[in-house]
Amino acid sequence: MKWALFGGTFDPIHFGHLRAAQELCALLSLDRVIFIPAPAPPHKTEWKISPFEDRLQMVRLAVSGNPLFSFSDIESQRSGKSYSVDTVRYFLEQAVQSTTLYFITGQDAFNAIVTWREWESLLGLCHFAVMTRPGYENEGLKKILPPDLAAAYRYDEAGDAFESPSGKRVFFRKTTFLDISASDLREKIRQGQSIRYLTPDSVIAYIEEKGLYKSRV
């Protein structure tokens, strides 16, 4: 089994998240993508984040009906900020031995991975699936990781991936770029504009029912 963890604030979740995850399932032959809302993301401080329960319910509604998608509230069960390395360790403990674990992240976030908590350990725990932006050129890891560590990775042309001495790989994969951002959705709602076709109708109905994003970005 191949499981992928897709963490994020998801405030709110939208079609950019969902379409990318769907395409990664095909590109990497994934059996499941687990969406994991973060209650207190360490790198998100620029706005007041919606209550975790609301974001979790929007994720639940968005992934409903897709057999490849599921969600987890595991990060709400830990106190303090949410760190990816702790989440990966949790799923490694819970998964059966034959499960291969991937961690999905965007290119911008991966470019800053050396700022993540225990980032070297994290790279050795699971594979990474990095969603690239338009115009991406495969320059390897030399501009992302320290030179000695980047040099330790071997490029596997057949698998189009960078493999570490431990066997963990970094896959840079192009997915359909939908120019949608959660901040734009929040702003549109605040201004009374429609967000139809930017996120599932079930998510829109939940936002309207709860009155989310009416008075803030």
Side-chain angles (χ1 to χ4, degrees):
M1 296 287 289
K2 292 183 177 181
W3 289 5
L5 309 181
F6 194 170
T9 310
F10 302 125
D11 195 15
I13 191 169
H14 53 68
F15 284 135
H17 301 125
L18 298 167
R19 181 60 197 176
Q22 182 70 37
E23 292 186 9
L24 286 174
C25 286
L27 292 170
L28 298 174
S29 301
L30 302 175
D31 298 295
R32 179 185 298 182
V33 174
I34 306 170
F35 290 77
I36 307 171
H43 292 91
K44 299 287 186 179
T45 58
E46 65 271 27
W47 81 90
K48 182 181 178 182
I49 299 171
S50 299
F52 176 80
E53 186 59 31
D54 287 328
R55 293 182 288 114
L56 178 68
Q57 290 305 316
M58 287 188 283
V59 168
R60 179 185 65 80
L61 291 167
V63 305
S64 177
N66 189 329
L68 294 173
F69 292 172
S70 63
F71 67 95
S72 171
D73 66 353
I74 181 57
E75 293 200 350
S76 70
Q77 300 175 30
R78 298 193 299 263
S79 60
K81 291 188 177 293
S82 308
Y83 292 103
S84 300
V85 67
D86 297 325
T87 299
V88 169
R89 285 173 175 149
Y90 168 82
F91 278 96
L92 287 174
E93 292 172 357
Q94 298 299 312
V96 297
Q97 190 172 6
S98 59
T99 300
T100 301
L101 204 62
Y102 292 72
F103 191 92
I104 297 174
T105 189
Q107 183 177 342
D108 291 346
F110 187 75
N111 286 350
I113 195 169
V114 295
T115 67
W116 295 21
R117 184 175 185 174
E118 296 184 51
W119 64 272
E120 289 188 73
S121 296
L122 181 57
L123 286 172
L125 290 173
C126 62
H127 302 299
F128 268 76
V130 182
M131 300 175 289
T132 63
R133 288 186 171 276
Y136 165 78
E137 294 184 7
N138 189 343
E139 297 181 345
L141 301 171
K142 59 185 179 182
K143 292 185 178 181
I144 301 173
L145 302 180
D148 56 338
L149 185 57
Y153 277 77
R154 177 187 66 88
Y155 179 65
D156 173 25
E157 188 171 355
D160 188 18
F162 295 89
E163 184 173 328
S164 71
S166 69
K168 300 305 179 186
R169 295 184 164 200
V170 177
F171 299 84
F172 291 94
R173 290 294 183 267
K174 179 181 178 181
T175 58
T176 299
F177 179 67
L178 300 180
D179 193 11
I180 305 171
S181 72
S183 60
D184 286 344
L185 266 64
R186 296 193 300 270
E187 178 63 16
K188 287 181 183 298
I189 294 168
R190 190 182 69 82
Q191 294 183 5
Q193 299 177 18
S194 171
I195 59 168
R196 194 175 187 186
Y197 306 124
L198 296 175
T199 189
D201 289 345
S202 57
V203 173
I204 295 174
Y206 185 90
I207 290 172
E208 293 176 346
E209 176 188 350
K210 297 295 184 177
L212 299 177
Y213 313 122
K214 292 294 186 180
S215 60
R216 61 179 177 80
V217 180

